[in-house]
């Protein structure tokens, strides 16, 4: 195909040079071609997108990106890093014969769009759709091969209809603790009604009132209404997730104060799936670091529940080290613990109250910081250690949290660093339960002793047990820790002081927000105030149109007033009369909305079957794209690429929803994402003024090694590219100045995909020059004439080409795109050194290898080579195996077993010829240096060892 000549920037610039202007013309034309021809339309096995004939003999591959939130600022160059990488991989896999599904949608509900609506008066849907339009424009310009028919937004009514439907599946389910699966709630009702399952009171089901029955059932639902501690931001009128709260207890948006308080919330019993969420990590192809983060978040730990008697009643603790009970010399309660008031003596009430007030202002991560000096206050109360029978003091300290275990700990200072520091701080007793080895004492230059007063720190290792015996339990001596735990747990059970158990850090999922821009709950409340599911036939429950998106005004520091969400101010929407099978009745809608997590918990499934109005996905389509391919496999997305910032919550929540859907038979895959790859970040220089505030990086000038903004000197730092540091570079700028293919190549060449990399706009020109050199192999810059010829390539060129084809293929498979580009540069450099353009077959192979990385340029060159069809589905070129064999290989030369040198020898020599060649080599003769050769050990292709005497 012909192109419009570039406008020369200088008199000597050839008119057909590969410039930004020429690149833009080529790129826009091929983008139009792909769109008009549906090049990236991926066939389904059935349904509206079904083209079964096109998938015969092609293995499926589902590639997924963590989809973006479409903000008004648009994309910066850090955003497309993963999108370009998955596009390169997807394009390569199409050439390798796969049926590739690659689509992109938008996570569009949430607080940012609502805040924009509040500030501007523009409906959040209008703003969101404008942002999506801009994102689509930017992404199209990058030449991403997405199936545009499958693009969705979580705000589409056809999408959130099924978000609400999935919520109802969760609401109408319970977790069977015996089978360890979710089951429909009607099966639970049947079990109660038939007596298979006893009621909590033991009374027959039929004798209970309707409200009593529903209360029992609601107590088992996987989605339920409860009260929980939340991050309440009255300034925004909504609760916030931990990720939306800054380190100084302010909202990330608006910088309003955030308070911890108990509030009515929709909750999901994700805790019921804790074991499966942990155990199934072993079946996933994820980075070990991400698996560890999820394991730590879930926090499964085996130990014991132990009861310490006190005047206020039993204080129950969970401990992972019941074997150290003999060393528990005091107890510590979280400031929020319900027994603090009854344990506190009159003389300590004032001090305890003051301490609790101070602790309430601290964030959980601050309270648990190891760098922080331990603080606490004595309640005046005591408890009894069950194994020693001694009375031990009960303290309150903020390093103990109500969110883990029971909110109370038994403090064993000899074996726990925090307890040791606390005991030293407040002069509390320390009793050893394990004797450290002598080496431990030697490292600390102290004499071995079980007297902890001589110890500089706690002993957290494993040693022999001391001071650990009573009349019926003796742990003393050399004993494995596991055995000691088993003995102690058995003793606790026998003596009715506790029992062995497993504990989890994971808490039920808070699932509601007090704002407007979110999915309405498909829930009604009847005259009893109890929840009723909206029938599926009435979905979706649509958001009403409102003029004011603000929650009812609440002072930013008013932490006690109950929130009034925007939906609560629409009485004609809130109060409805419906016939749900019992005749017309009055109902009240839920006025909270779902959190932003809701749509992202299942969006990958909607890409599979986006036009299905009757089901969230057709079972056959889901089975084709996500079903397990081998026995014991989980199934799921074949490759999921995104940032590590979503390592825990998004992935954990998605896994929970997917497992519920699997238990109920709605999907064939047990996990949503089988393989996970975490991309790195784009980093860039940022600058701060003398107030510490960031300034626009693009307006900073450098003079004599210093940096100035509007004439004033500023400090330079390095950080993740983003709005907060004002160091953004947009892909639009790069496409305008260099072309999309140059930008794509630069992002992929900057380093390994999983590593963060520095952005430097000045380096982008290097990739442009590479494309210009490549272009000149095919096209005369002055006349636009083809330089492609039919002269066969030399043996040397054929060998370089074969090795490049093989190496680039391996790099593509391993997603090592930076090294693939390096190999292509080496090939182009070799070809540039030859006379007379490029051979047709070499040119075809080079264009095919280039296609995943720089698709527009590759399409243009493919057309110039005489092809009338897109290069997209052309097979990746084969490498001639004969040309991959080295003519020479390097071997090690040893003298008396020690490597003394290396020589090159012809490959493929037999043992006799190999030995003869090596012994005759001048370098070997020099190493022998006239000494008598006593023995020769020759290993063809590997080494020569000469024994001299």
């Amino acid at each position: 195909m012909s192109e419009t000549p570039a406008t020369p920037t200088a008199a000597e610039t050839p008119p057909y040079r590969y410039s930004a202007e020429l690149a833009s013309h080529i790129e826009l034309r091929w983008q139009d071609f792909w769109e008009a021809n549906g090049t990236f339309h991926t066939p389904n096995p059935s349904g509206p997108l079904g083209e079964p004939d096109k998938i015969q003999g092609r293995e499926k591959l589902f590639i997924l990106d963590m989809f973006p939130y479409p903000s008004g600022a648009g994309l910066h160059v850090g955003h497309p890093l993963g999108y370009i990488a998955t596009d390169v991989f997807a394009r390569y896999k199409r050439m390798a014969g796969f049926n590739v599904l690659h689509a992109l949608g938008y996570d569009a509900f949430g607080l940012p769009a609502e805040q924009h609506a509040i500030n501007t008066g523009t409906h959040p849907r209008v703003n969101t759709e404008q942002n999506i339009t801009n994102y689509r424009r930017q992404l199209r310009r990058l030449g991403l091969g997405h199936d545009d028919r499958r693009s969705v937004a979580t705000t589409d009514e056809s999408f959130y209809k099924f978000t609400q439907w999935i919520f109802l599946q969760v609401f109408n389910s319970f977790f069977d603790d015996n089978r360890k699966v979710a089951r429909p709630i009607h099966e639970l009702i049947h079990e109660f009604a038939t007596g298979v399952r006893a009621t909590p009171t033991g009374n027959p089901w039929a004798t209970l009132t309707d409200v009593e029955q529903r209360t029992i059932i609601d107590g088992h639902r996987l989605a339920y209404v409860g009260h929980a501690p939340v991050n309440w931001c009255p300034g925004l009128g909504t609760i916030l997730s931990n990720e939306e709260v800054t380190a100084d207890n302010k909202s990330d948006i608006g910088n309003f104060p955030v308070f911890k308080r108990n509030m009515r919330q929709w909750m999901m019993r994700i805790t019921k799936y804790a074991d499966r969420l942990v155990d199934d990590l072993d079946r996933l192809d994820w980075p070990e670091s991400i698996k560890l983060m999820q394991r730590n978040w879930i926090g499964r730990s085996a130990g014991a529940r132990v009861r310490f008697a006190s005047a206020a009643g039993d204080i129950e603790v969970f401990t992972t080290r019941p074997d150290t009970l003999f060393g528990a010399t005091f107890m510590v309660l979280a400031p929020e613990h319900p027994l603090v008031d009854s344990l506190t003596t009159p003389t300590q009430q004032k001090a305890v109250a003051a301490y609790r007030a101070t602790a309430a202002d601290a964030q959980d991560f601050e309270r648990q910081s190891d760098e922080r000096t331990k603080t606490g206050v004595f309640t005046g109360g005591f408890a009894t250690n069950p194994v020693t029978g001694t009375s031990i003091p009960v303290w309150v300290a903020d390093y103990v949290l109500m969110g883990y275990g029971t909110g109370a700990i038994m403090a064993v200072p000899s074996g726990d660093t925090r307890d040791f520091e606390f005991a030293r701080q407040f002069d509390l007793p320390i009793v050893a339960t394990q004797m450290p080895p002598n080496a431990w004492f030697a490292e600390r230059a102290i004499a071995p002793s079980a007297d902890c007063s001589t110890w500089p720190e706690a002993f957290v290792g494993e040693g022999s047990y001391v001071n650990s015996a009573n009349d019926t339990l003796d742990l003393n001596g050399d004993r494995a820790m596991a055995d000691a735990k088993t003995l102690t747990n058995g003793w606790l059970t026998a003596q009715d002081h506790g029992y062995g158990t497993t504990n989890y850090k994971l808490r039920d999922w808070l699932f509601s927000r007090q704002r407007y821009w979110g999915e309405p709950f498909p829930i009604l409340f009847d005259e009893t105030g109890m929840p009723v599911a909206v029938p599926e036939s009435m979905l979706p429950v649509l958001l009403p149109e409102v003029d004011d998106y603000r929650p009812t005004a609440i002072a930013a520091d008013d932490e006690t007033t109950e929130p009034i969400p925007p939906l609560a101010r629409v009485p004609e929407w809130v109060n409805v009369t419906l016939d749900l099978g019992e005749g017309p009745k009055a109902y009240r809608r839920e006025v909270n909305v779902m959190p932003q997590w809701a749509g992202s918990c299942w969006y990958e499934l909607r890409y599979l079957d986006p036009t299905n109005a009757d089901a969230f996905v057709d079972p056959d389509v889901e089975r084709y794209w996500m079903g397990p391919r081998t026995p014991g496999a989980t199934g799921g997305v074949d490759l999921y690429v995104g940032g590590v910032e979503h390592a825990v919550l998004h992935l954990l929540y998605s896994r929970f929803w997917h497992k519920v859907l699997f238990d109920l038979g709605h999907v064939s895959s047990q996990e949503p994402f089988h393989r996970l790859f975490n991309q790195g970040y784009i980093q860039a220089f940022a600058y701060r003024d003398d107030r510490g505030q960031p300034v626009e990086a693009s307006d900073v000038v450098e003079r004599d090694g210093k940096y100035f903004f509007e004439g004033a000197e500023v400090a330079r730092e390095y950080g993740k590219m983003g709005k907060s540091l004002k160091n953004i570079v947009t892909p639009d700028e790069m496409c305008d100045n260099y072309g999309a293919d140059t930008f794509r190549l630069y992002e992929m060449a900057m380093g390994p995909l999983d590593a963060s990399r520095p952005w430097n706009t000045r380096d982008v020109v290097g990739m442009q020059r590479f494309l210009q050199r490549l272009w000149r192999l095919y096209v005369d810059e002055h006349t636009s004439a083809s330089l492609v010829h039919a002269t066969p390539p030399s043996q040397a060129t054929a060998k370089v080409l074969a090795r490049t084809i093989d190496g680039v293929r391996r790099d593509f498979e391993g997603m090592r795109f930076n090294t693939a580009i390096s190999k292509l540069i080496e090939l182009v450099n070799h070809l540039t050194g030859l006379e007379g353009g490029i051979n047709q077959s070499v040119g075809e192979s080079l264009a095919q290898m280039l296609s995943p990385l720089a698709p527009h340029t590759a399409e243009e060159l493919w057309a110039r080579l005489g092809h009338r069809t897109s290069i997209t589905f052309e097979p990746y070129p084969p490498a001639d195996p004969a040309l991959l064999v080295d003519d020479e290989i390097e071997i090690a030369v040893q003298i008396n077993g020690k490597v003394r040198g290396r020589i090159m020898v012809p490959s493929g020599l037999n043992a006799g010829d190999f030995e003869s060649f090596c012994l005759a080599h001048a370098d070997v003769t020099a190493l022998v240096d006239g000494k008598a050769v006593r023995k020769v050990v020759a290993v063809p292709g590997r080494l020569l060892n000469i024994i001299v005497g």
Side-chain angles (χ1 to χ4, degrees), residues 548-562:
D548 184 2
Y549 312 104
R550 292 178 174 83
T552 298
I554 301 173
D557 58 353
D558 182 357
E559 59 180 297
T560 60
T561 300
E562 290 296 317

Side-chain angles (χ1 to χ4, degrees), residues 28-356:
L28 290 174
R29 180 155 41 79
W30 282 107
Q31 288 159 17
D32 290 342
F33 174 89
W34 295 331
E35 183 175 321
N37 289 274
T39 301
F40 305 112
H41 289 180
T42 304
N44 272 352
S46 60
L49 305 184
E51 295 179 273
D53 292 343
K54 291 187 177 182
I55 65 177
Q56 295 301 317
R58 297 173 62 196
E59 186 177 347
K60 68 89 184 180
L61 186 71
F62 185 6
I63 299 174
L64 181 69
D65 301 278
M66 292 185 183
F67 63 171
Y69 188 92
S71 71
L75 296 171
H76 62 67
V77 295
H79 291 125
L81 177 65
Y83 306 152
I84 294 171
T86 53
D87 186 63
V88 172
F89 190 67
R91 286 175 178 273
Y92 163 71
K93 283 297 189 178
R94 290 190 189 97
M95 300 179 78
F98 284 77
N99 184 32
V100 178
L101 192 160
H102 194 203
L104 193 71
Y106 302 91
D107 190 14
F109 273 127
L111 194 56
E114 181 166 284
Q115 285 300 116
H116 185 272
I118 290 172
N119 295 333
T120 64
T122 304
H123 194 287
R125 180 172 295 282
V126 173
N127 178 56
T128 297
E129 290 177 351
Q130 289 172 347
N131 294 342
I132 289 174
T133 298
N134 186 45
Y135 269 51
R136 284 189 170 134
R137 177 194 61 79
Q138 289 184 294
L139 293 169
R140 183 185 190 272
R141 195 171 183 188
L142 298 178
L144 302 179
H146 296 141
D147 186 341
D148 56 352
R149 303 170 305 166
R150 298 176 184 265
S151 183
V152 298
T154 57
T155 51
D156 295 341
E157 292 171 0
S158 59
F159 182 95
Y160 76 74
K161 166 186 176 179
F162 291 108
T163 305
Q164 294 171 341
W165 180 86
I166 296 173
F167 174 84
L168 290 181
Q169 305 312 299
V170 181
F171 175 75
N172 285 322
S173 302
F174 75 104
F175 191 80
D176 187 320
D177 290 312
N178 294 320
R179 300 185 194 176
K180 304 299 182 185
V181 297
R183 294 171 55 197
I185 205 76
H186 67 80
E187 294 182 5
L188 178 66
I189 297 172
H190 180 74
E191 289 183 0
F192 279 126
T194 58
V196 172
R197 185 186 293 257
T199 64
T201 62
N203 295 328
W205 185 253
T207 66
L208 303 179
T209 67
D210 176 68
V211 170
E212 289 172 334
Q213 291 178 351
R214 290 171 62 186
T215 300
I216 292 172
I217 295 302
D218 287 352
H220 286 77
R221 293 183 188 275
L222 285 177
Y224 65 97
V225 177
H227 283 77
V230 297
N231 299 311
W232 168 234
C233 181
L236 292 175
T238 187
I239 67 167
L240 302 174
S241 67
N242 291 333
E243 291 69 34
E244 295 169 324
V245 181
T246 63
D248 57 349
N249 264 13
K250 299 291 182 66
S251 60
D252 187 47
I253 293 178
N255 202 39
F256 293 107
V258 177
F259 305 93
K260 284 280 189 184
R261 62 173 288 191
N262 275 353
M263 295 179 67
R264 173 193 175 278
Q265 299 296 318
W266 276 96
M267 313 278 288
M268 289 201 174
R269 296 187 204 275
I270 191 174
T271 48
K272 290 291 187 179
Y273 281 80
D275 286 327
R276 283 170 61 183
L277 289 168
V278 170
D279 294 340
D280 284 350
L281 287 170
D282 294 332
R283 305 169 65 196
L284 298 177
D285 184 6
W286 287 17
E288 284 301 319
S289 59
I290 304 301
K291 292 182 180 181
L292 180 62
M293 292 171 71
Q294 290 222 351
R295 290 188 183 107
N296 289 341
W297 187 268
I298 296 167
R300 182 172 68 184
S301 52
R305 291 266 179 161
V306 185
R307 291 185 292 274
F308 289 71
S310 78
D314 286 345
I315 305 174
E316 191 172 88
V317 305
F318 170 80
T319 176
T320 60
R321 293 293 307 274
D323 57 308
T324 65
L325 255 170
F326 288 95
T329 57
F330 60 98
M331 298 190 75
V332 184
L333 306 185
E336 303 86 358
H337 196 285
L339 289 181
V340 170
D341 287 330
S342 51
L343 275 167
T344 301
T345 59
T347 57
Q348 291 296 106
Q349 283 180 352
K350 185 174 181 180
V352 170
Y355 184 81
R356 295 174 84 181

Side-chain angles (χ1 to χ4, degrees), residues 862-874:
W862 190 250
R864 282 178 165 272
L865 289 166
H867 299 283
R868 295 183 176 277
T869 57
S870 169
I871 198 173
T872 299
F873 294 100
E874 289 296 320

Side-chain angles (χ1 to χ4, degrees), residues 840-858:
Q840 173 82 15
S841 62
V842 174
E844 289 178 342
S845 294
L846 177 55
Q848 288 168 293
M849 287 186 284
L850 182 71
S851 178
L853 293 157
H856 311 89
T857 306

